[in-house]
Amino acid sequence: MGRGDLTNAEWERLEPFLPRGGTRGGRWSDHRRVVNGVLYRVRTGVQWRDLPERSGPWETVYQRHRRWSADGTWQMPLPKVQAAEDAAGRIDGDVPVDSTAVRAHQHATGARKAPPAAVPQRGAGRGTNQAEPVRRPLAVRLAEVAGSARAPGRSRGGFTTTIHPAADGRRRPLTLVPPPGHYGDGPRLERVLTQVRVPRAKVGRPRTRPDHILADKAYTSSRNRRHLRRRGISHTIPERRDQRRHRLNRGFRGGRTTGFDNERHKKRNTVERAINRLKAFRALAPRYEKRACIHLGTLTALTIWLRT
């Protein structure tokens, strides 16, 4: 086993969610070797052709990574792992939200406008043991609508994209939303909260409403506050100075003073440390992939949950 590869315990938790191999007309390479190859590339950021020999042919690793990113296979194990952690009471209800900028490499430009399609396995069809194709996750479909699935946005830093994570108290990302780099942080809050879905371990509807939201001044808009009040989510978001002055100038029509808990707001640094943990994977810090679903379809978030 190489450095950074999945341990036996981590592989036992991940293996049941991957498609079954041994199809008619062809045989899949060992899933564990391929997943370790993807992990090696995500951790080091090397080109696909420079994968070590123990990972097998680099074409196999890349094509399977692309296929599982497009059809949502990478996103399937994460809710199951989160459900087990939630049943054990190890998920904090205070959810901080923030964003980070990711510089897009020149190889990340020039993607086709058509949405990415899942690559079928050779020999797969009726009577095979291949798992049924799953519906592409909501994060992938929203990224295509926003345009981030095709190309990064242009901001002051050049071609960039952003990642909006929502983390729990143990620096584990609950969701990742990848809009283009020129999109603001505040308007993306509703979309980030839409992605938060922690399934129940046994029965019951998934948890889609955090107990408390922590954010910085970039999210302090009246629209975001109305959305949080409508959903019954308490929040700690500081008010900007110009907003406070505008509210006071309007008198009683300006509304009540927004509550702010300074001690509770100190927990917002959890999402900053979660971002640092995400960017420790060198293939995620700069964007090399042309499509956002492949850029975020890696095992970064899942690996963090398995190893925390």
Side-chain angles (χ1 to χ4, degrees), residues 165-181:
D168 71 334
R170 302 181 66 181
R171 300 175 297 161
R172 298 175 297 187
L174 293 172
T175 182
L176 298 174
V177 177

Side-chain angles (χ1 to χ4, degrees), residues 55 67 69 78 101 106 112 169 173 183 204 252 265 269 283:
S55 301
R67 180 188 304 116
S69 300
L78 184 58
Q106 60 180 354
R112 297 180 180 178
Y183 281 29
F252 69 92
H265 190 257
N269 69 85

Side-chain angles (χ1 to χ4, degrees), residues 244-284:
R244 186 184 305 111
R245 182 173 60 252
H246 180 68
R247 176 175 52 80
L248 294 177
N249 291 338
R250 297 188 62 186
F252 69 92
R253 293 177 297 178
R256 295 177 298 178
T257 303
T258 58
F260 181 76
D261 189 350
N262 191 29
E263 291 298 325
R264 198 168 192 176
H265 190 257
K266 293 179 180 179
K267 297 176 61 177
R268 197 192 65 84
N269 69 85
T270 304
V271 69
E272 302 284 354
R273 291 181 288 164
I275 291 174
N276 293 338
R277 178 177 287 182
L278 284 170
K279 286 195 171 183
F281 296 89
R282 298 191 176 185
L284 185 67

